[in-house]
Amino acid sequence: MGRIEFWFEFASTYSYPAAMRIEALADEAGHDIVWKPFLLGPVFNSQQGLTDSPFNAFPVKGRYMWRDLARVCARAGLPLETPARFPQNGLLAARCTLALPEAARAAFVKAVYAANFADGALISEPAIVSRCIVAAGENPDAIMARAGDETIKAELKANTEEAMRRGVFGSPTFFADDGEMFWGNDRLEDAFDWLAAPLQIMSIGGTR
């Protein structure tokens, strides 16, 4: 049995289909998923000097992304609704992910992504996040209170800093248990294939 780390930001468009697909792939392959929320804002600002999503900063890229995402979701049988705001503020939802028991995180993450990209809801609203916690079978008052703890805030900050240290530049990003990194919903299957049979590849300047 292997392990896939799933690094995600709730505002990320392509993380929506990835979040909805990853459990079935992991179950089929017998692998575990480690759910790793982080914040893209500090990553974009540190690496590219951006204070907004690249899809807003470069409108031609944004127009293509929304059309491509529509194709991706249609192929996967996923509903897609333009979010009420883009990018959304996923801070509260990210903290709640870490406040939840690990067994409840998958259901919560999927509920938040559905609220964002299938319902067009504001996922920064506590009422929406509470609804997603209920969908995961947990007590929203208890989880929301725990999400405000300094330990949870520090863990999310540490996740974001770790993501940057490890070379993450976007969401979704996947790490196989040997540290191999894959970026993008369209590389999810590649990550699982790597777990099953890592490739011997050449890297720039010599062997891997």
Side-chain angles (χ1 to χ4, degrees):
M1 177 181 290
R3 186 181 75 163
I4 287 281
E5 293 180 16
F6 177 27
W7 291 76
F8 60 93
E9 150 76 70
F10 281 113
S12 163
T13 51
Y14 287 105
S15 295
Y16 165 48
M20 297 308 196
R21 299 190 313 113
I22 191 170
E23 269 195 304
L25 290 170
D27 289 346
E28 182 181 355
H31 297 318
D32 292 328
I33 305 168
V34 182
W35 302 84
K36 300 286 284 189
F38 73 107
L39 300 178
L40 268 177
V43 175
F44 288 155
N45 185 258
S46 173
Q47 295 176 352
Q48 304 174 46
L50 292 174
T51 57
D52 198 352
S53 166
F55 296 128
N56 288 341
F58 306 101
V60 66
K61 187 174 184 179
R63 287 192 296 271
Y64 173 82
M65 178 276 294
W66 287 114
R67 182 61 180 174
D68 184 56
L69 184 64
R71 292 193 299 258
V72 168
C73 289
R75 187 166 59 247
L78 295 171
L80 179 64
E81 181 73 27
T82 303
R85 182 180 300 136
F86 180 78
Q88 292 235 39
N89 183 343
L91 177 63
L92 177 60
R95 287 175 176 169
C96 285
T97 304
L98 297 173
L100 282 161
E102 288 190 16
R105 291 180 183 179
F108 173 75
V109 169
K110 290 192 293 185
V112 173
Y113 275 115
N116 189 353
F117 293 106
D119 302 335
L122 281 173
I123 62 169
S124 58
E125 293 292 330
I128 300 299
V129 177
S130 293
R131 188 181 74 194
C132 296
I133 294 171
V134 171
E138 297 292 327
N139 183 303
D141 293 335
I143 298 304
M144 294 279 275
R146 185 161 186 260
D149 289 352
E150 291 303 316
T151 54
I152 296 296
K153 294 178 181 179
E155 185 176 357
L156 180 59
K157 181 180 179 182
N159 274 8
T160 302
E161 292 171 348
E162 181 185 351
M164 287 190 279
R165 284 197 306 272
R166 295 176 69 180
V168 171
F169 54 87
S171 172
T173 293
F174 316 99
F175 284 98
D177 52 16
D178 66 351
E180 191 75 14
M181 185 176 86
F182 299 83
W183 169 61
N185 172 64
D186 58 348
R187 291 294 180 266
L188 178 54
E189 282 81 0
D190 289 354
F192 281 101
D193 288 346
W194 185 275
L195 269 179
L199 301 174
Q200 295 298 315
I201 59 176
M202 298 288 292
S203 63
I204 296 173
T207 58
R208 182 176 179 277

